[in-house]
């Protein structure tokens, strides 16, 4: 009977899962999969306070806008607590999801949020999602959603460790019996590596490069272990002395030097979490390994380097950039099954860890 009523309700409405990442926002529609994957950027008209564009369209405006239009990254710049911006962003996402699907009768929405956001921000997300037309809103912490997305046995009495290296934050979480047992969120992730690269190129080559160039370089030749054969790219930037464009060749060893400090800090944080993990769970993790997700999981050599340092097998989760969104989808399709991992009411938030 339950299966039958679920089938009927699925015919009447498509429910939505949203991964509100610091760098990328993904939207999952039940029965369809991921229908939207856009940068988490919102363009706001400062004169009117209105959102003028969201996603790729807003990102294209970065650096090209008239003075009164600013492109912001809501989860990095703290705008998520700005209710109107958040609401417009979420309304936009729900609208887009509806366009790609049949009309929705007030969809149920599962939203993945970073573990680091404040209660005020979390409440803003919930209220904004409701106001944007959602029938019911379920909030899930992103590491938990990612663990579901890559099919870790989160509800069993077996501990798992998942490390989500995103744009603004890296979240390290130990999960057992449907709860987050230990966690740490740090602001060392993809964005920090980009600024590390910008500073290094400025001090070593006396050239100023932009964020985009740094990120492209990081993805193309960034490797935390020496690449064989060595990797290199030619990049153009502004010569700090002459003020004119100049081209230089950068190698993977330059990038390793640039991001080395941040990578060390990240590994140190993982060690700290392992050190405070209860022994039984630690023993599970040693057997089952540690899983990397998020865009940072794709940094060449990171898996091997981390594995060497902690002496525990490390794996890259399947399709690491979409793990959280797929997890929200799996949760949506079976809300009863995942009830206990969802934060439904701010008044019964899990105790602070
Ligand atoms: P968030 O969940 O915070 O939105 P994502 O998981 O989408 O973040 O990851 C985005 C980050 O991953 C960006 O900083 C991006 O530069 C980085 N990234 C994406 N692909 C790669 C890659 N192949 N190598 C290194 N970094 C990558
Ligand atoms: Mg993420």
């Amino acid at each position: 009977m339950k299966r039958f009523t679920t089938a009927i309700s699925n015919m009447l409405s498509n429910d939505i899962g949203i991964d509100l990442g610091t760098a990328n926002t993904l939207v999952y529609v039940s029965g369809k999969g991921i229908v939207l994957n856009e940068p988490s950027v919102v363009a706001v008209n400062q004169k009117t306070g209105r959102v003028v564009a969201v996603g790729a369209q807003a990102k294209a405006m970065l650096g090209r806008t008239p003075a009164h239009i600013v492109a912001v990254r809501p989860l990095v710049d703290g705008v998520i607590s700005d209710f109107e911006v958040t609401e417009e962003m979420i309304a936009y996402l729900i609208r887009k999801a509806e366009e790609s699907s049949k009309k929705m009768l007030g969809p149920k929405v599962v939203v993945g949020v970073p573990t680091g956001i404040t209660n005020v921000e979390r409440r803003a997300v919930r209220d904004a999602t409701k106001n944007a037309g959602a029938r019911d809103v379920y909030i899930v912490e992103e590491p938990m959603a990612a663990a579901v997305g890559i099919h870790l046995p989160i509800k069993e009495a077996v501990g798992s460790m998942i490390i989500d290296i995103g744009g603004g934050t890296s979240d390290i979480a130990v999960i057992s019996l449907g709860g987050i047992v230990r966690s740490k969120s740090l602001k060392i992730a993809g964005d920090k590596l980009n600024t590390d690269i910008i500073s290094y190129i400025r001090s070593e080559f006396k050239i100023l490069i932009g964020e985009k160039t740094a990120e492209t370089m990081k993805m193309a030749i960034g490797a935390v272990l020496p690449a064989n054969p060595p990797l290199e790219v030619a990049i153009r930037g502004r010569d700090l002395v002459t003020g004119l464009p100049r081209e230089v060749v950068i190698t993977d060893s330059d990038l390793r030097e640039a991001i080395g400090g941040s990578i060390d800090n990240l590994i140190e944080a993982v060690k700290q979490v392992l050190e405070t993990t209860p022994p039984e769970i630690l023993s599970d993790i040693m057997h089952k390994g540690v899983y990397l997700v998020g865009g940072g999981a794709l940094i060449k050599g990171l898996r091997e380097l981390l594995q060497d340092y902690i002496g525990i097998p490390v794996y890259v989760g399947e399709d690491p950039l979409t793990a959280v969104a797929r997890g929200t989808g799996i949760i949506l399709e079976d809300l009863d099954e995942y009830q206990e991992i969802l934060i439904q009411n701010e008044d019964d938030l899990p105790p602070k860890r």
Side-chain angles (χ1 to χ4, degrees):
M1 185 59 193
K2 176 177 164 250
R3 182 157 299 168
F4 179 73
T5 47
T6 310
I8 295 279
S9 95
N10 285 350
M11 275 157 55
L12 292 175
S13 83
N14 290 87
D15 298 322
I16 302 175
I18 300 177
D19 168 12
L20 274 186
T22 59
N24 298 296
T25 295
L26 285 76
V27 176
Y28 180 105
V29 173
S30 61
K32 299 202 72 157
I34 294 168
V35 299
L36 186 135
N37 183 348
E38 297 206 29
S40 304
V41 180
V42 175
V44 182
N45 181 332
Q46 286 191 306
K47 284 184 188 158
T48 62
R50 301 281 306 186
V51 170
V52 293
V54 176
Q57 214 188 345
K59 191 172 186 183
M61 292 181 174
L62 275 172
R64 298 196 179 88
T65 52
H68 65 282
I69 293 179
V70 287
V72 292
R73 292 176 56 193
L75 285 119
V76 175
D77 306 324
V79 186
I80 202 76
S81 49
D82 176 335
F83 194 77
E84 267 146 40
V85 172
T86 310
E87 188 179 322
E88 291 210 38
M89 178 174 78
I90 292 173
Y92 168 90
L93 297 172
I94 294 181
R95 237 177 4 252
K96 280 276 219 154
E98 284 175 335
E99 273 167 27
S100 78
S101 147
K102 47 193 181 268
K103 195 75 207 138
M104 299 183 182
L105 295 171
K108 291 183 201 148
V109 182
V110 174
V111 190
V113 298
T115 47
I117 75 171
T118 63
N119 290 357
V120 173
E121 289 172 324
R122 191 156 30 193
R123 195 183 298 270
V125 169
R126 175 186 303 282
D127 294 348
T129 310
K130 262 255 150 92
N131 279 7
R135 172 159 40 117
D136 293 308
V137 183
Y138 305 86
I139 304 271
V140 60
E141 293 181 286
E142 281 171 354
M144 187 64 93
V148 173
I150 63 168
H151 305 287
L152 293 183
I154 55 147
K155 293 182 68 174
E156 290 167 29
V158 177
S160 311
M161 178 180 255
I162 190 153
I163 306 175
D164 180 354
I165 307 169
T169 58
S170 291
D171 287 303
I172 306 162
V174 173
I175 296 171
S176 180
L177 286 167
I180 295 184
V181 179
R182 289 288 181 278
S183 74
K184 196 177 181 78
S185 177
L186 57 160
K187 292 205 164 83
I188 296 173
D191 294 342
K192 173 69 167 74
L193 302 183
N194 297 348
T195 57
D196 287 346
I197 293 169
I198 295 172
S199 324
Y200 180 87
I201 304 283
R202 186 170 50 213
S203 69
E204 295 297 309
F205 295 89
K206 310 292 177 239
I207 283 187
L208 189 64
I209 59 167
E211 180 88 36
K212 189 73 217 148
T213 305
E215 179 166 52
T216 308
M217 235 196 315
K218 173 183 74 178
M219 293 184 187
I221 65 163
V224 296
L225 292 172
N228 189 14
L231 303 169
E232 56 177 51
V233 281
I235 53 148
R236 306 192 113 220
R238 188 199 304 277
D239 187 304
L240 287 169
V241 179
T242 65
L244 296 173
R246 180 158 67 91
E247 189 173 283
V248 281
V249 172
I250 308 289
T251 65
D252 64 291
S253 122
D254 291 318
L255 288 207
R256 205 150 39 250
E257 181 98 20
I259 66 176
S262 291
I263 297 293
D264 287 348
N265 291 338
L266 183 61
I267 292 176
E268 191 50 43
V270 175
K271 280 187 175 169
Q272 283 171 14
V273 174
L274 286 169
E275 278 163 15
T276 62
T277 298
E280 294 302 326
I281 295 182
L282 185 60
S283 138
D284 295 339
I285 296 172
M286 290 173 75
H287 282 111
K288 309 212 56 158
V290 167
Y291 287 80
L292 299 180
V293 294
L298 297 170
I299 298 166
K300 289 179 256 302
L302 184 61
R303 185 193 73 75
E304 293 86 343
L305 185 72
L306 181 62
Q307 178 168 288
D308 270 7
Y309 266 95
I310 61 178
I312 298 177
V314 178
Y315 306 103
V316 174
E318 183 200 348
D319 199 358
L321 279 159
T322 63
V324 171
R326 285 181 290 129
T328 62
I330 292 171
I331 294 168
L332 262 185
E333 316 277 6
D334 202 348
L335 280 169
D336 290 343
E337 173 71 15
Y338 291 101
Q339 201 66 273
E340 70 213 63
I341 68 167
L342 300 169
I343 304 167
Q344 272 184 303
N345 194 326
E346 301 304 322
D347 301 332
D348 35 72
L349 279 177
K352 274 273 168 250
R353 292 175 296 270

